Amino acid sequence: MAVFVALGAFLMTLAGGWVAQRVTDRRHLVLGLAGGLMLGVVGLDLLPEAIEAAGEPVLGVSMALLLFVGGFLAAHLVERLLSARQVAHGAGGHHGDRVPQVGLTAAAAMVGHSLMDGIALGAAFQVSGSMGVAVALAVISHDFADGFNTYTLTSLYGNARRKALLMLFAAAVAPVVGAATTLLFTLPEELLGGYLGFFGGALLYLAAAEILPEAHHTHPARSTLLCTIGGVGFIWLVVGIAE
């Protein structure tokens, strides 16, 4: 049942990527929406789940929050290192330059997140059918945002359309693979919480430091801001329905 439901997530991920590539003439709106979706996923979905699943606090601070900050710093460090490497090889160095490897790394993280979605889906169905349905609703709904963000992140950093489509397909297949693996093992809850916290921090960095500034750089329009707010509201709605 979990694998069957994961096929719905597969189709929703592809649908999100299809929408992202079809509106290239409104790139600022796409980026504004992507930033809002990412912010909503982190603040309303990933981080609360991570804190709930995390184990004992470390020096009074939740392990999920520590890893959240670590993920943010890791994303910043990776981008700075890749940018410095690009400059060293004479590939540029201006503020507006984009490093393709950063986009691929971010998209790979989205694929990993989609894989964990599938694992969470399979684990929920192992607990009970009602829990499985609730998790399925959340996964299928926000996988549209995952597909949208995966394609947007890959292409934003100057990667070819072929690579963006490849990463999109990988993100679409990942939930199916994750759901299938739950037939073989169960992921410890504390490990899942730590992963969600770390991934949430990295995703927040990309949204706040890259996606949203780029969205408002050339088109500081009210419509772009509305798309960002709409993206957050969409994730809020999805989380609320799932609860």
Side-chain angles (χ1 to χ4, degrees):
M1 183 63 182
V3 175
F4 177 76
V5 172
L7 291 175
F10 171 84
L11 295 176
M12 286 296 287
T13 303
L14 292 181
W18 180 83
V19 170
Q21 63 177 307
R22 293 291 293 180
V23 290
T24 52
D25 58 330
R26 292 289 184 268
R27 186 169 178 268
H28 59 291
L29 299 180
V30 172
L31 294 175
L33 178 60
L37 291 172
M38 293 165 73
L39 177 59
V41 167
V42 172
L44 306 178
D45 187 17
L46 291 180
L47 197 53
E49 288 187 24
I51 294 174
E52 184 178 348
E56 293 295 321
V58 178
L59 297 179
V61 179
S62 169
M63 175 60 74
L65 291 178
L66 290 173
L67 288 170
F68 175 79
V69 174
F72 189 98
L73 293 175
H76 177 60
L77 179 62
V78 167
E79 186 189 33
R80 291 299 89 204
L81 289 175
L82 290 175
S83 297
R85 181 181 178 185
Q86 186 185 45
V87 172
H89 285 78
H94 302 292
H95 178 70
D97 287 345
R98 297 289 172 182
V99 185
Q101 292 91 333
V102 172
L104 290 175
T105 301
M110 294 299 297
V111 174
H113 171 56
S114 295
L115 180 68
M116 298 305 295
D117 276 348
I119 293 175
L121 181 60
F125 272 104
Q126 288 180 359
V127 174
S128 69
S130 59
M131 181 176 291
V133 170
V135 173
L137 179 62
V139 168
I140 291 176
S141 299
H142 95 253
D143 270 359
F144 177 88
D146 286 349
F148 189 98
N149 290 333
T150 299
Y151 185 89
T152 301
L153 284 169
T154 309
S155 58
L156 173 65
Y157 285 85
N159 291 286
R161 182 173 179 270
R162 179 179 60 83
K163 289 185 178 180
L165 290 174
L166 181 62
M167 296 307 295
L168 173 63
F169 183 76
V173 172
V176 182
V177 175
T181 59
T182 58
L183 300 175
L184 305 175
F185 69 91
T186 302
L187 187 70
E189 187 177 19
E190 283 129 6
L191 181 59
L192 177 61
Y195 166 78
L196 292 175
F198 186 85
F199 174 70
L203 202 61
L204 180 63
Y205 175 82
L206 292 171
E210 298 293 332
I211 301 297
L212 291 177
E214 180 70 14
H216 293 276
H217 177 62
T218 55
H219 292 276
R222 184 180 302 174
S223 57
T224 306
L225 178 60
L226 290 176
C227 283
T228 302
I229 296 172
V232 175
F234 172 75
I235 298 299
W236 184 13
L237 179 64
V238 169
V239 173
I241 292 175
E243 292 294 330

